[in-house]
Amino acid sequence: MRRANELRHWRLGAVGVECRRVTTKNPFPGMNPFFEQQWQDAHTMLIGYMRDALQERLPADLVARAEEAVVAIGAEAESAKFRPDVSVKKPWEDTAAAGVAVAGRVRAPEASLPTRVFVDDEVERWLEIHDEAGQLVTVIELLSPSNKEDEVARGRYCNKRRTFVSAGVNVVEIDLVRRGRSVFPDEVRELMRKQGAPYAVCVFRASHLGEREAYLVGLRERLPVISIPLRPTDADVPLDLQPLINQCHERGRYHRLRYRAELEPPIATSDAAWVQTILRQHELV
């Protein structure tokens, strides 16, 4: 019988059959840095988990909704390591004769052969909290590598954030990816650098225009319980990120991630040995 959060792997060896137990739990006390191997999948799950966690605690006249937009983006060849991707193929080699209408003896010009460009549509997802009248109160963004690495996507994201802020909407930005350049204000980025924090949450409250609330998270630390601002007359709603990450690991079967692969960017020297110890303890390497 399989125990909770545990799988049995059977292996035939020279001296018989060996039973090896592999835990399906998140091996890390906080964020799992290997999630970025499957970030599109993790992002989709986490948005749903956050919506459900908030829905239980919101005032009765507020509702959380997962929003999405499909955006087709052209990218340079070197940025095709993550979505959106663009692949350029050879022009069509159409051997079939095309039907061309002619007038008298005038020959129609041959059509130029186009280059076929396949654009991978990126689905951008975020959370919005609305009141009964449809008024937008708070936006929660779970950042992706594309928000931080691709210049086109980064610019579009910053413009969207600027629109929310200028409209008096609370904005909560959750950055759990190490790749790319932070989109946070310079002051928050400097705090992250000083504390060696690869992850952070940045909260803008519409009632405090010149301020940001920052949650800085080290690799070895539990993810925080963040306060989600609502209307000025409402109490904040707590959102505990750690159980959601753990749930994502188990339901996504992330014990099957490539834990032997090198992390990109590389882990800080002070943490590299610790990461390997964690993986060995959980028999993932």
Side-chain angles (χ1 to χ4, degrees):
M1 179 177 179
R2 190 175 74 183
R3 292 163 54 187
N5 303 316
E6 190 176 89
L7 293 177
R8 291 186 178 185
H9 287 187
W10 297 90
R11 183 172 62 188
L12 181 61
V15 293
V17 178
E18 173 188 354
C19 177
R20 176 170 173 250
R21 290 186 175 91
V22 179
T23 180
T24 60
K25 287 185 176 181
N26 176 16
F28 292 91
M31 184 57 192
N32 184 330
F34 291 87
F35 268 35
E36 292 185 50
Q37 294 178 2
Q38 296 290 335
W39 188 250
Q40 291 292 335
D41 181 62
H43 190 279
T44 300
M45 284 195 287
L46 288 170
I47 287 289
Y49 296 159
M50 288 193 296
R51 178 203 59 203
D52 294 345
L54 289 170
Q55 212 78 278
E56 298 174 353
R57 297 180 173 89
L58 287 176
D61 62 336
L62 295 183
V63 61
R65 290 281 185 262
E67 300 292 337
E68 67 178 34
V70 179
V71 183
I73 307 170
E76 297 295 335
E78 59 268 23
S79 63
K81 57 187 176 185
F82 58 86
R83 298 180 72 184
D85 295 322
V86 174
S87 56
V88 179
K89 304 296 184 181
K90 292 181 179 179
W92 284 287
E93 295 180 359
D94 192 353
T95 56
V100 179
V102 296
R105 297 179 178 273
V106 179
R107 184 176 180 180
E110 293 184 3
S112 301
L113 293 179
T115 298
R116 301 175 70 185
V117 180
F118 296 90
V119 180
D120 191 6
D121 292 339
E122 180 178 16
V123 179
E124 296 183 346
R125 294 183 176 89
W126 64 95
L127 285 175
E128 294 184 356
I129 299 175
H130 295 261
D131 65 14
E132 290 180 318
Q135 179 70 33
L136 182 58
V137 175
T138 302
V139 168
I140 303 173
E141 293 276 6
L142 181 60
L143 298 177
S144 291
S146 60
N147 299 132
K148 301 171 65 179
E149 291 186 324
D150 181 76
E151 287 303 318
V152 174
R154 180 186 176 88
R156 187 177 63 254
Y157 171 78
C158 290
N159 287 336
K160 181 173 72 168
R161 178 180 59 190
R162 199 157 31 242
T163 300
F164 288 139
V165 168
S166 63
V169 176
N170 304 307
V171 179
V172 179
E173 299 171 284
I174 304 171
D175 188 357
L176 300 179
V177 294
R178 296 167 53 248
R179 283 158 43 195
R181 185 162 54 97
S182 175
V183 298
F184 293 155
D186 293 341
E187 295 81 0
V188 176
R189 291 204 302 266
E190 180 63 15
L191 284 176
M192 293 175 66
R193 185 192 65 79
K194 287 181 177 180
Q195 296 193 21
Y199 309 115
V201 178
C202 188
V203 179
F204 165 76
R205 292 178 182 267
S207 57
H208 296 72
L209 294 178
E211 298 179 10
R212 296 291 188 277
E213 296 172 5
Y215 300 80
L216 310 181
V217 189
L219 184 63
R220 307 188 191 199
E221 299 173 1
R222 184 192 191 278
L223 292 174
V225 180
I226 60 179
S227 294
I228 304 298
L230 302 174
R231 297 164 299 195
T233 55
D234 296 320
D236 290 352
V237 173
L239 177 62
D240 192 352
L241 295 176
Q242 192 61 58
L244 308 184
I245 288 293
N246 296 342
Q247 185 178 6
C248 183
H249 187 282
E250 292 186 27
R251 294 192 176 181
R253 298 189 177 185
Y254 284 1
H255 63 284
R256 296 182 177 274
L257 294 175
R258 293 178 289 109
Y259 285 105
R260 295 180 184 273
E262 294 291 331
L263 287 168
E264 181 60 37
I267 289 288
T269 304
S270 58
D271 288 323
W274 176 79
V275 168
Q276 289 304 309
T277 298
I278 291 288
L279 297 181
R280 283 194 296 270
Q281 288 175 347
H282 291 82
E283 299 186 60
L284 294 169
V285 293

